[in-house]
């Protein structure tokens, strides 16, 4: 079912969007700057679909405050794309990625995007890498991937400048396999007062 309220809110649930649907949605986002709430629940979105959506959000002046993608298998790569958007546009106040298979690497990328000071995460991961854990090595690679992606977006010059920063009120990551390192990162984020995970 689909529901639209003016030009500000859009919700779609239990409809398989597919690649063409995601591309059409991304195109529509570019032409709907007044959109404030976007809910796409259980729409069969994959990481490539979320990459399209994240690109549209990153390079368009949309003041989206609520994004809910619950029950879509966007994976860590999809979460990393969303992290790139969050870093360039911090107006989002609520992000729901419940049951999205974001895994530890995706969760860490989101934490990095939402903090002003990433040194706490970097140090924590460095300690875990020194201890020789495989997930820490994967997480360290995520940090570098996220930083490279963010630098690429800035270098392209298509991001609309620095935007005012607001703290996210809710980051929902329930029913994702986060692992110890990412769970600790979420704890650091909460400790910094940047978000209230649920």
């Amino acid at each position: 079912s689909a529901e639209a309220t003016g030009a500000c809110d859009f919700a779609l649930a239990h409809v398989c969007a597919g690649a063409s649907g995601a591309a059409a949605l991304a195109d529509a986002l570019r032409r709907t700057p007044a959109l404030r709430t976007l809910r796409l629940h259980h729409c069969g979105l994959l990481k490539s679909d979320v990459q399209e959506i994240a690109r549209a959000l990153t390079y368009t002046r949309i003041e989206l405050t609520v994004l809910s993608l619950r029950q879509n298998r966007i994976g860590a790569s999809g979460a990393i794309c969303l992290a790139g958007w969050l870093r360039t546009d911090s107006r989002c106040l609520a992000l729901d990625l419940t049951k999205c298979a974001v895994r530890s690497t995706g969760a860490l990328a989101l934490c990095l995007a939402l903090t002003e000071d990433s040194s706490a995460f970097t140090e924590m991961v460095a300690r875990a890498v020194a201890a020789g854990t495989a997930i820490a090595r994967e997480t360290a690679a995520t940090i570098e991937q996220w930083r490279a992606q963010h630098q690429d977006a800035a270098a392209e010059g298509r991001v609309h400048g620095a935007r005012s920063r607001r703290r996210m009120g809710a980051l929902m990551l329930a029913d994702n396999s986060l692992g110890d390192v990412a769970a600790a990162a979420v704890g650091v984020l909460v400790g910094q007062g940047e978000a209230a995970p649920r």
Side-chain angles (χ1 to χ4, degrees):
S1 65
E3 165 188 327
T5 307
C8 294
D9 305 286
F10 183 77
L12 187 68
H14 299 282
V15 175
C16 186
S20 60
L25 177 61
D27 185 55
L29 289 174
R30 293 182 182 96
R31 294 181 281 110
T32 315
L35 189 67
R36 298 295 176 268
T37 300
L38 177 61
R39 292 185 173 88
L40 302 171
H41 295 177
H42 210 288
C43 290
L45 297 175
L46 302 174
K47 61 182 180 182
S48 57
D49 304 322
V50 174
Q51 287 168 354
E52 284 282 335
I53 292 168
R55 263 195 296 273
L57 292 172
T58 300
Y59 302 122
T60 308
R61 290 185 178 275
I62 299 174
E63 297 184 12
L64 197 68
T65 56
V66 176
L67 176 61
S68 180
L69 299 176
R70 57 169 49 220
Q71 291 185 290
N72 288 287
R73 296 194 61 79
I74 70 170
S77 297
I80 290 168
C81 289
L82 292 174
W85 160 62
L86 288 173
R87 194 61 177 172
T88 58
D89 186 352
S90 57
R91 292 174 181 173
C92 186
L93 300 177
L95 177 62
D96 186 353
L97 297 179
T98 301
K99 290 188 177 180
C100 284
V102 301
R103 298 176 43 227
S104 61
T105 51
L108 182 71
L110 293 167
C111 290
L112 285 166
L114 292 170
T115 185
E116 291 291 340
D117 178 16
S118 64
S119 61
F121 298 110
T122 305
E123 291 167 11
M124 178 187 65
V125 172
R127 285 194 301 271
V129 169
T133 62
I135 190 64
R137 287 191 292 275
E138 183 182 1
T139 302
T142 297
I143 291 176
E144 292 310 312
Q145 181 182 355
W146 178 83
R147 285 183 177 153
Q149 180 190 49
H150 180 58
Q151 288 168 353
D152 288 348
E156 287 174 10
R158 293 187 292 164
V159 178
H160 295 288
R163 305 183 188 180
S164 58
R165 188 158 192 83
R166 291 190 289 184
R167 287 184 177 167
M168 180 171 285
L171 174 61
M172 288 156 269
L173 297 171
D175 295 319
N176 286 287
S177 298
L178 300 186
D180 293 343
V181 174
V186 172
V188 170
L189 187 69
V190 173
Q192 291 177 347
E194 297 292 347
R198 296 178 183 176

